[in-house]
Amino acid sequence: MIKLGQYNHLTIIRFTDHGAYVDGGEIGEILLPKAYVKDEMHPGDEVDVFVYLDQQERLVATMEEPYAQVGDFAYLEVSWVNQYGAFLDWGLMKDLFVPFSEQKKTMEQGNSYIIYIYVDDATKRIVGTAKVNRYIQPAPHKDYYRGKTVDLLVWQKTEYGLKVIVDNKYSGLIYNDELQTYCSGQHHDVPRTGDRLQGTVVTVRDDGRLDISLQKIGKGRFRDFADELLEELEAAGGFLAYTDKSSSEAIAERFGVSKKTFKRAVGTLYKARKISLKDDGISIF
């Protein structure tokens, strides 16, 4: 079965002046245009190609790498618009069509939007939609748990924080206080729509939505920060003027972690007899 709008592992059948033809099974032969044919290719060779539709709506194979494929969420820029809809640059010769009926608001040339790519059942064409909510699924509790590392696509800002698409399927939220800690501590820029990041699951809600942190959590996070804190101490000459009485804001500004994480890391290093605690700070033994 050919996977339209995705990568396929296919066998070269023959060559013509137009290029190489690969075996599409029941669909028949699919042209790999001459521009993508290499001298070392021979009949019987297997190749990985992306299959989509050309300007005449014919199946065609390409060696070009699209920014996303069918089944993906992506952040794409509008190349041009006409009376039927918008056409987005997705890295291929033929742009991705988003009809007006699939736009949440009228798309404008030069602007970028979060979209979902799918094959339209009625027309059998590859299209995009900005109405991505209907393709977001609830995260399965058996696969998602506190501390799991996940891939994120930043979706949109809300009053509570940043909505993100998790692992190309699920809805997640990074709360404002988490963003503040993340940005102030290590002076990260505030994530913007379209950014791709890694995060950590904090909570899996009953409805399958995920609360996300941009920092590691759990015991692993404390151990990792303990090592980082020790390095910071060494770089500072063996002493840092921070204690459990330091403010949460001061700790977040200096280290990029919560006060709880700081105190746990200090406790880890103290129990390992790597630091000593003083009234005005911590120092290396």
Side-chain angles (χ1 to χ4, degrees), residues 201-227:
V201 175
V202 178
T203 306
V204 184
R205 298 188 175 275
D206 291 341
D207 60 3
R209 288 183 295 176
L210 303 168
D211 293 343
I212 301 294
S213 171
L214 291 175
Q215 304 172 88
K216 291 183 179 179
I217 63 173
K219 294 181 179 178
R221 178 179 177 184
F222 299 131
R223 285 196 297 269
D224 290 345
F225 178 65
D227 293 337

Side-chain angles (χ1 to χ4, degrees), residues 5-8 48-52 60-62 64 66 68-69 90 92:
Q6 297 182 354
Y7 288 96
N8 293 259
D48 289 312
V49 292
F50 185 83
V51 178
Y52 71 124
V60 65
T62 180
E64 292 181 306
Q69 57 183 326
W90 63 323
L92 300 178

Side-chain angles (χ1 to χ4, degrees), residues 235-255:
F239 177 80
L240 286 169
Y242 292 87
T243 70
D244 60 3
K245 295 184 175 60
S246 299
S247 69
S248 299
E249 292 76 15
I251 290 170
E253 174 67 25
R254 177 63 175 80
F255 302 106

Side-chain angles (χ1 to χ4, degrees), residues 21-87:
Y21 283 88
V22 294
D23 184 5
E26 294 180 359
I27 293 176
E29 298 178 346
I30 300 172
L31 176 65
L32 175 65
K34 188 175 182 179
Y36 309 115
V37 175
K38 301 177 181 178
D39 292 339
E40 60 267 26
M41 290 180 175
H42 299 92
D45 287 352
E46 295 182 345
V47 290
D48 289 312
V49 292
F50 185 83
V51 178
Y52 71 124
L53 300 175
D54 65 13
Q55 301 290 353
Q56 286 74 44
E57 304 299 335
R58 299 171 301 191
L59 284 174
V60 65
T62 180
M63 291 290 190
E64 292 181 306
E65 297 182 7
Y67 304 142
Q69 57 183 326
V70 166
D72 284 346
F73 296 89
Y75 187 59
L76 302 178
E77 181 178 340
V78 176
S79 297
W80 56 291
V81 296
N82 66 11
Q83 66 270 35
Y84 303 109
F87 295 82

Side-chain angles (χ1 to χ4, degrees), residues 80-136:
W80 56 291
V81 296
N82 66 11
Q83 66 270 35
Y84 303 109
F87 295 82
L88 281 57
D89 176 14
W90 63 323
L92 300 178
M93 186 176 298
K94 181 185 177 184
D95 292 326
L96 178 71
F97 179 52
V98 180
F100 285 121
S101 61
E102 294 299 329
Q103 298 178 25
K104 293 177 66 175
K105 59 181 180 179
T106 302
M107 291 182 169
E108 298 180 1
Q109 183 176 346
N111 289 347
S112 298
Y113 303 86
I114 295 289
I115 57 97
Y116 178 79
I117 304 173
Y118 68 102
V119 176
D120 181 65
D121 289 334
T123 64
K124 304 303 179 185
R125 294 176 180 174
I126 303 169
V127 294
T129 178
K131 299 177 180 180
V132 299
N133 272 305
R134 63 177 182 257
Y135 296 99
I136 299 289

